[in-house]
Amino acid sequence: MALFDIKLPETIRARLGLPQNDFKRQQERVLRKLLHKARFTEFGQQYRFDEIAIRENCVQLFQEKVPLFNYNKIYDAWWHRSLQGYPDVCWPGRIKYYALSSGTSEAASKYIPITNDLLKGNRVVMMRQILSLRNYSDIPVRSIGKGWLMLGGSTALQKGAGYYAGDLSGITAKKAPFWFQPFYKPGKKIARQRNWNRKLREIVKKAPEWDIGFIVGVPAWIQMCMEMIIEEYNLKTIHDIWPNLAFYVHGGVSFQPYKKSFEKLLAKPLTYIETYLASEGFFAYQDRQNAKGMRLVTNEHIFHEFIPFDEKNFDANGDPVANPQILTVAEVEEHKDYVLVISTSAGAWRYIVGDTIRFTHKQRCEIVITGRTKHYLSLVGEHLSVENMNKAIEFASSDMNISIPEFTVVGEPHENLFAHHWYVACDDAVNAETLRFKIDDYLKQLNDDYATERGHALKEIFLDVLPEKTFIQFMRSLGKIGGQHKFPRVLKGKMLEDWKLFLANELVPKQ
């Protein structure tokens, strides 16, 4: 039986993203809307948005006239002026909010502009996701009206010179509509808490007072929160205190490595719903049960483009070459990796997000996240993706009946050739050599290029098993504790230097 059976006018159905779908036309309408809104900004005037928007071939002209930007390029050329208080730079008006994002590979914070138009679009997408619950069979309707525990950043934002900055989750919670407040946990007071450990302790204290049906957040921190509650109240599972808990909305990282240890905390299965909500916007969400991918949002506030993630379009560092091939949603193919490029209602124009995605069902415009351009490991042509790593970890941990909630991989020189060095979090009893062999063997099965190079230039695989707390303590040492911080699957550059120094200090015997 359908959860919702409401007859809505076609205009409202289109607004809410209910079934239909000419994705190419939807995206063209979105682009025209964005261009029209931003035509009098400095950016819009330089690139003649007013002329592009009215042309029949507006998508082609937009791609010809407007260059690609990464964060540093668009910040140096444009966004720094918005941060200084200048209005109408890349989007109409002054930018009052910025999402602080360092991604998972860089130490310095990025200031991603957040506008009311972007937040409005994100809320519409959230409503679509709620309405899509009608596509889930045997759904426990009573759980929908219970509390929604959203484990995110603080709503006590940092105050700058005319702006506020913080995690997107904190900005979103701070500006949530009034009707959402009765459902929202941990509530305004706890949500303002900036100290992450103190916030978790306050959630644990309040946990018996809440009837939670939904939990939302990054897997590592949700798991930690549930473990603390279970330990504090001497419970067997989290359902002993929240019997109506039925849904887990997750995103940001692959859930698969966490699933085994996560489900040890449950008395009954949850419905898992994946989302693709980044600092730059709400890109996609899972809209039906057991779907292999998430539905890309094509008719609201974001225009998408796609660069094939291959050696023709990207160098060994994961940076695009000059004049790469760029496709629209109508031109992509299934089962190929693409780097996502977005233009949004916050003034991110032809902005390279850094994520790689793959279309699993083009007719439904469903995608999966396969990794990041900077977390792609190819020292000698092994072309190892985060997706390959996740699957190898999943298969190996299943074979050995162990839980591996975190891991990272480093490429390094070895005897005039090269090696991969794995650091794996596992609190179970484990034979490191057996785990090393299994991961290596599964990667050979999953990736032909990897299998070839293991017989040539990729001469060795090293693996260290570390306690899970080591990974958590490292993130804490960088100040990256919170609902939106994830441990990178590939370590490079400054973060790799910090990691090696941290491990060296950890291994020094305490006097």
Side-chain angles (χ1 to χ4, degrees):
M1 179 179 177
L3 176 61
F4 301 104
D5 189 16
I6 304 171
K7 301 299 181 183
L8 297 172
E10 288 302 315
T11 54
I12 297 178
R13 292 179 65 83
R15 175 69 171 171
L16 293 175
L18 299 176
Q20 50 94 334
N21 289 333
D22 182 344
F23 302 119
K24 179 181 178 181
R25 185 174 298 177
Q26 288 175 4
Q27 281 282 272
E28 184 175 318
R29 283 199 298 264
V30 168
L31 179 59
R32 289 186 191 277
K33 181 175 70 172
L34 295 174
L35 294 173
H36 181 79
K37 185 72 178 281
R39 68 192 187 280
F40 296 128
T41 63
E42 294 179 30
F43 193 98
Q45 289 290 291
Q46 175 158 326
Y47 293 106
R48 308 305 297 267
F49 280 6
D50 51 346
E51 296 179 7
I52 296 175
I54 62 173
R55 298 288 291 275
E56 184 176 346
N57 60 336
C58 77
V59 173
Q60 179 184 342
L61 285 175
F62 178 68
Q63 293 177 327
E64 291 174 357
K65 302 293 185 184
V66 182
L68 292 170
F69 291 93
N70 59 21
Y71 174 79
N72 290 333
K73 184 177 177 181
I74 199 169
Y75 179 86
D76 291 343
W78 299 98
W79 285 357
H80 76 279
R81 287 176 49 76
S82 294
L83 203 61
Q84 292 168 359
Y86 290 97
D88 306 321
V89 178
C90 288
W91 196 253
R94 283 187 171 83
I95 306 297
K96 297 180 180 179
Y97 294 93
Y98 289 86
L100 291 177
S101 171
S102 59
T104 47
S105 58
E106 299 176 47
S109 290
K110 300 176 181 179
Y111 286 79
I112 309 296
I114 303 297
T115 65
N116 286 333
D117 290 310
L118 183 76
L119 292 173
K120 179 181 177 182
N122 287 352
R123 284 195 294 268
V124 170
V125 177
M126 184 185 75
M127 286 303 302
R128 292 180 191 168
Q129 185 175 16
I130 293 172
L131 288 174
S132 75
L133 295 178
R134 72 194 190 284
N135 299 326
Y136 290 76
S137 61
D138 301 324
I139 193 168
V141 179
R142 66 182 180 276
S143 295
I144 298 174
K146 304 299 182 181
W148 295 28
L149 177 60
M150 303 178 70
L151 205 54
S154 173
T155 59
L157 306 175
Q158 300 175 23
K159 193 176 189 313
Y163 65 85
Y164 294 91
D167 286 348
L168 177 63
S169 59
I171 297 171
T172 301
K174 184 179 181 67
K175 295 180 69 66
F178 72 92
W179 57 264
F180 186 66
Q181 297 305 321
F183 302 97
Y184 173 59
K185 307 298 178 189
K188 291 183 177 181
K189 183 178 179 181
I190 297 177
R192 284 182 57 82
Q193 178 60 252
R194 287 179 176 171
N195 184 295
W196 183 252
N197 292 324
R198 193 171 299 153
K199 176 184 283 189
L200 286 177
R201 289 196 297 270
E202 291 180 8
I203 289 173
V204 170
K205 183 178 179 180
K206 286 284 189 179
E209 302 175 22
W210 300 334
D211 187 1
I212 299 297
F214 266 72
I215 48 176
V216 182
V218 172
W221 307 117
I222 290 290
Q223 179 178 326
M224 180 187 296
C225 181
M226 293 197 302
E227 287 173 344
M228 290 174 66
I229 293 170
I230 290 171
E231 181 179 4
E232 175 68 20
Y233 299 105
N234 195 27
L235 309 174
K236 290 184 177 179
T237 72
I238 197 66
H239 281 109
D240 292 339
I241 197 167
W242 294 335
N244 290 309
L245 178 60
F247 301 95
Y248 175 36
V249 180
H250 63 89
V253 294
S254 171
F255 178 57
Q256 208 59 45
Y258 302 92
K259 191 173 183 180
K260 190 177 186 67
S261 55
F262 193 91
E263 292 186 338
K264 291 178 181 178
L265 310 176
L266 310 174
K268 53 189 176 183
L270 300 184
T271 295
Y272 299 111
I273 304 175
E274 187 174 8
T275 63
Y276 187 3
L277 175 58
S279 296
E280 295 84 359
F282 202 155
F283 299 151
Y285 59 93
Q286 191 174 350
D287 71 343
R288 59 194 178 107
Q289 197 159 16
N290 301 320
K292 294 182 179 180
M294 297 172 285
R295 178 74 166 267
L296 190 69
V297 177
T298 56
N299 62 345
E300 186 52 41
H301 61 320
I302 299 172
F303 177 72
H304 303 278
E305 299 172 84
F306 310 90
I307 307 175
F309 190 49
D310 54 33
E311 292 177 345
K312 294 180 181 178
N313 294 289
F314 286 85
D315 62 24
N317 294 321
D319 295 315
V321 300
N323 302 313
Q325 180 187 18
I326 302 177
L327 307 177
T328 65
V329 70
E331 299 168 320
V332 296
E333 300 178 39
E334 291 182 359
H335 311 307
K336 291 187 176 182
D337 284 1
Y338 297 97
V339 173
L340 186 62
V341 179
I342 59 169
S343 298
T344 76
S345 56
W349 296 107
R350 305 203 76 205
Y351 180 86
I352 301 171
V353 177
D355 293 333
T356 60
I357 60 99
R358 181 181 304 152
F359 282 81
T360 57
H361 196 309
K362 185 177 176 180
Q363 287 185 332
R364 292 186 58 87
C365 213
E366 290 179 346
I367 64 167
V368 293
I369 303 170
T370 55
R372 288 185 61 81
T373 57
K374 300 296 184 181
H375 293 186
Y376 171 80
L377 197 53
S378 191
L379 298 175
V380 292
E382 68 272 34
H383 302 128
L384 193 63
S385 70
V386 173
E387 183 185 42
N388 295 153
M389 301 173 198
N390 283 332
K391 285 189 177 296
I393 287 289
E394 176 189 349
F395 296 154
S397 59
S398 178
D399 286 351
M400 300 178 70
N401 194 28
I402 58 175
S403 175
I404 302 176
E406 295 288 1
F407 68 89
T408 193
V409 188
V410 174
E412 56 190 31
H414 176 66
E415 296 181 354
N416 297 321
L417 293 169
F418 297 92
H420 287 176
H421 194 148
W422 288 70
Y423 297 92
V424 173
C426 185
D427 292 333
D428 299 322
V430 57
N431 184 307
E433 179 60 20
T434 301
L435 179 59
R436 183 190 73 86
F437 174 81
K438 282 186 173 291
I439 291 174
D440 187 35
D441 190 53
Y442 277 122
L443 286 175
K444 291 174 185 175
Q445 297 176 41
L446 291 164
N447 186 320
D448 292 340
D449 291 332
Y450 178 89
T452 298
E453 294 306 330
R454 280 293 284 119
H456 295 86
L458 187 61
K459 281 298 184 183
E460 190 56 84
I461 303 298
F462 301 106
L463 184 143
D464 290 335
V465 177
L466 303 170
E468 184 181 358
K469 68 179 183 181
T470 301
F471 287 74
I472 295 171
Q473 288 169 350
F474 173 67
M475 294 296 280
R476 182 177 287 115
S477 73
L478 299 180
K480 291 178 177 285
I481 291 291
Q484 287 188 263
H485 294 295
K486 293 91 64 177
F487 205 100
R489 293 310 184 213
V490 176
L491 282 177
K492 301 177 182 178
K494 178 65 166 55
M495 203 164 187
L496 174 56
E497 295 175 11
D498 292 340
W499 174 247
K500 288 185 174 180
L501 181 61
F502 176 82
L503 291 183
N505 291 332
E506 282 287 297
L507 294 175
V508 173
K510 301 296 187 292
Q511 299 298 323

